[in-house]
Amino acid sequence: MKKYVMALDQGTTSSRAILFDKNGKICAKAQHEFTQIYPQAGWVEHSPMSILFSQLQSATEVFASNDISVDELAAIGITNQRETTLIWEKATGKPIYNAIVWQCRRTADICEEIKKDKELTQYIKDHTGLVVDAYFSATKIKWILDNVEGAREMAERGELLFGTVDTWLVWNLTGGKAHVTDYSNASRTMLFDVDKLCWDEYLCKKLDIPMNILPEVKPSSMVYGEVASGVMGLEELAGVPIASAIGDQPAALFGQGCFNPGQAKNTYGTGCFLLMNTGDKRVVSNHNLVTGVAWGLDGKITYDIEGSAFNAGSVIKWLRDDLHIIDTAPRCDELAETVKDANGIYFVPAFTGLGAPYWDMYARGTIVGITRGVNQAHICRSVLESIAYQMTDLLEAMKQDSDIDLYELRVDGGASVSDIMMQIQSDMIRTPVNRPKMVETTAIGAAYLAGLAVGFWDSTDEIAKIRQVDKLFEPKMAIEDRNRYYNGWLRAVDRSRNWIEK
């Protein structure tokens, strides 16, 4: 009897494997971090093999450390950091360069050249739903082909394969039999026509990217293949179907049960990601948000509108690991709760530029308003506030694009466990913040989609009943105070913008 679905949750700083039962309960999990590589300022890379090995190791440990039989596993679902770009040799599986991470800004100059062509810039927005930015995969692919010796010639001879992380994992798990991605991940490449649901030949030609390196694009919930025999560490899992792939943020939207148009969630992870389900209609953003396919399921397409802030939970990690202001992440909350506000300071965490709605590749991190009275607790408070302010920016833009006023915001991600930050968030957006008991919504979203593909769950109606509320945060702050704090944030953002000269 099949009792479990396993989600492989491949994130920016770690790879995890989580086993869920039919009630959505976590029955086992394992996690392994891997090294972040910073070759120079603004550049971020991962070792493709570290991504793969950390994910395989996590999957192996789930069964090795728990009294669970592989025979009870119904399917495997994959969710992943999205725009991160990998290129490898088709014949050997050997990567030709490190993975260029979504945070990496090395292709900002390429993006500036593209922006000089106003018609091309508008074409990209109209067909891909995206804005021109180094965030997305297209310019990363171009950079690798242009800068790795022999890469372009190999690509033109059909000897290379491109993939986002989901593609890389599926390709390796199936022993090289499946070179695929799903609609949600393809939507983040800046090469995919989100209306026609195909790779855009015109954009590939303009960016000089051979289309033969691109994976086949499929729905998010279907069997892509089976775990091949001989996959290192997963020999016992041979034959288990790989039945979903979806980018981490739409996975969380699905995992939160946001199945209806107008429902939204925000994930507080390494970055901050706000998504709203817009149903079978793609909303065209006039406020610098991006649109794309959230998932493909049962022959239907669901679109979303999204805003992303590049640095959220990573800022707390920075306080802990680099500045040593705190020794643990919870300590940030403890200190922040000892003060009533940030004592006039604002922290803008534009370490890798500003995402939506600003899209400023040249912004940099800023702390303003410092006086002699500012202490460690105020800095911690300003960091938590900065995360909430960034999300408020996104929601304000999203309301204007969609003409929808939210009745609640569903939240998840590691930093959502912070009660003080969720209260600040509710105060800033003037809307209840709904935190579920199951905060592993990214992983469970992938598990749900895989389970639906193999009949482990029957429908989204069944899944919607599984979600349980942990805590509801209601707005408490006076509107005058809220507006004063938020206006100060907007002034601070202005100070951080265009810090690096173009």
Side-chain angles (χ1 to χ4, degrees):
M1 181 179 176
K2 304 301 183 183
K3 296 182 179 179
Y4 310 104
V5 173
M6 182 164 66
L8 302 183
D9 184 358
Q10 205 299 301
T12 306
T13 59
S14 69
S15 297
R16 300 187 302 161
I18 305 180
L19 215 58
F20 296 94
D21 67 12
K22 197 169 177 60
N23 295 317
K25 177 185 175 183
I26 294 176
C27 299
K29 63 180 177 179
Q31 177 173 347
H32 286 275
E33 294 188 354
F34 52 87
T35 302
Q36 307 294 299
I37 303 168
Y38 305 102
Q40 55 182 280
W43 291 31
V44 190
E45 297 178 358
H46 293 157
S47 161
M49 302 313 294
S50 293
I51 291 174
L52 177 61
F53 292 157
S54 61
Q55 190 64 82
L56 296 179
Q57 188 174 8
S58 298
T60 301
E61 282 188 14
V62 163
F63 293 98
S65 304
N66 297 275
D67 186 22
I68 295 172
S69 170
V70 173
D71 293 335
E72 297 173 317
L73 183 62
I76 295 171
I78 293 173
T79 184
N80 57 286
Q81 51 170 316
R82 289 176 293 176
E83 301 79 6
T84 297
T85 297
L86 303 94
I87 297 180
W88 63 94
E89 295 178 0
K90 183 189 296 187
T92 66
K94 179 182 178 181
I96 65 168
Y97 191 78
N98 275 341
I100 301 181
V101 179
W102 58 273
Q103 297 166 313
C104 187
R105 314 307 292 169
R106 77 183 65 191
T107 62
D109 289 344
I110 299 175
C111 292
E112 287 302 322
E113 285 300 313
I114 293 172
K115 288 179 180 178
K116 291 177 182 178
D117 186 335
K118 300 301 181 183
E119 290 185 3
L120 178 58
T121 301
Q122 189 62 44
Y123 183 95
I124 289 170
K125 180 179 179 180
D126 291 343
H127 289 261
T128 71
L130 306 178
V131 299
V132 177
D133 193 83
Y135 184 20
F136 305 110
S137 307
T139 57
K140 303 179 196 297
I141 299 171
K142 179 174 174 57
W143 189 93
I144 293 174
L145 295 180
D146 288 344
N147 288 275
V148 175
E149 185 177 356
R152 183 164 296 284
E153 291 77 14
M154 292 179 69
E156 290 171 352
R157 291 196 299 266
E159 297 173 1
L160 298 181
L161 298 176
F162 152 75
T164 42
V165 172
D166 61 312
T167 305
W168 171 242
L169 293 178
V170 172
W171 193 86
N172 279 283
L173 287 170
T174 61
K177 291 181 180 179
H179 182 221
V180 300
T181 190
D182 90 302
Y183 294 130
S184 71
N185 281 292
S187 293
R188 306 296 288 189
T189 60
M190 214 172 78
L191 294 173
F192 187 70
D193 189 311
V194 293
D195 295 313
K196 296 179 181 178
L197 302 178
C198 65
W199 297 115
D200 193 296
E201 185 175 356
Y202 173 74
L203 286 177
C204 289
K205 286 182 178 178
K206 292 294 289 186
L207 294 175
D208 201 15
I209 295 173
M211 295 186 73
N212 60 18
I213 73 171
L214 303 176
E216 184 178 0
V217 187
K218 293 179 174 288
S220 311
S221 177
M222 67 173 295
V223 176
Y224 304 124
E226 298 177 344
V227 177
S229 59
V231 176
M232 186 183 67
L234 298 185
E235 290 83 359
E236 293 183 350
L237 269 65
V240 174
I242 301 166
S244 76
I246 185 170
D248 50 7
Q249 300 315 315
L253 188 69
F254 198 90
Q256 283 276 31
C258 295
F259 303 136
N260 301 311
Q263 290 185 300
K265 71 86 199 175
N266 191 59
T267 295
Y268 302 82
T270 301
C272 194
F273 303 91
L274 174 68
L275 276 75
M276 179 187 289
N277 181 329
T278 63
D280 59 0
K281 304 294 183 184
R282 179 166 74 93
V283 172
V284 176
S285 175
N286 296 311
H287 296 88
N288 291 325
L289 301 181
V290 298
T291 60
V293 179
W295 54 76
L297 173 65
D298 293 335
K300 298 178 182 179
I301 297 297
T302 296
Y303 289 95
D304 62 25
I305 185 168
E306 174 176 351
S308 306
F310 298 147
N311 288 283
S314 59
V315 188
I316 299 172
K317 192 170 186 288
W318 174 70
L319 283 185
R320 183 192 68 191
D321 297 346
D322 298 298
L323 297 190
H324 304 294
I325 288 178
I326 54 175
D327 54 358
T328 65
R331 182 61 176 157
C332 186
D333 283 11
E334 293 170 6
L335 287 169
E337 287 170 347
T338 65
V339 293
K340 66 177 182 177
D341 58 31
N343 198 11
I345 69 170
Y346 290 88
F347 172 59
V348 183
F351 297 152
T352 51
L354 287 169
Y358 307 102
W359 293 110
D360 186 345
M361 296 180 285
Y362 302 97
R364 287 297 180 266
T366 307
I367 302 178
V368 297
I370 298 176
T371 63
R372 185 61 183 84
V374 169
N375 60 32
Q376 185 182 35
H378 296 125
I379 291 174
C380 288
R381 175 98 185 194
S382 74
V383 164
L384 298 182
E385 289 179 351
S386 76
I387 298 171
Y389 288 140
Q390 288 181 101
M391 214 296 299
T392 305
D393 288 341
L394 299 177
L395 188 58
E396 290 294 320
M398 194 168 286
K399 286 179 179 178
Q400 294 179 65
D401 275 334
S402 66
D403 291 326
I404 296 174
D405 284 324
L406 294 184
Y407 67 89
E408 71 170 9
L409 178 69
R410 297 186 174 189
V411 298
D412 54 66
S416 71
V417 300
S418 169
D419 284 359
I420 182 174
M421 189 167 71
M422 293 302 97
Q423 185 59 54
I424 294 169
Q425 188 69 86
S426 180
D427 289 336
M428 286 299 111
I429 64 175
R430 309 299 297 171
T431 302
V433 169
N434 181 325
R435 185 175 66 199
K437 289 184 178 180
M438 169 61 69
V439 296
E440 297 285 3
T441 53
T442 299
I444 202 169
Y448 283 151
L449 287 161
L452 287 169
V454 298
F456 190 76
W457 288 287
D458 294 328
S459 67
T460 54
D461 289 339
E462 179 185 0
I463 289 170
K465 296 175 183 177
I466 295 174
R467 187 183 187 275
Q468 294 180 311
V469 178
D470 171 56
K471 191 168 184 179
L472 194 67
F473 299 85
E474 302 274 1
K476 295 180 180 178
M477 185 181 292
I479 187 65
E480 295 82 6
D481 292 334
R482 179 267 181 198
N483 291 342
R484 175 167 53 85
Y485 285 127
Y486 185 57
N487 288 334
W489 161 258
L490 296 176
R491 291 176 59 211
V493 170
D494 282 341
R495 302 295 195 278
S496 75
R497 300 196 63 182
N498 296 306
W499 185 258
I500 304 297
E501 293 185 8
K502 297 182 182 178

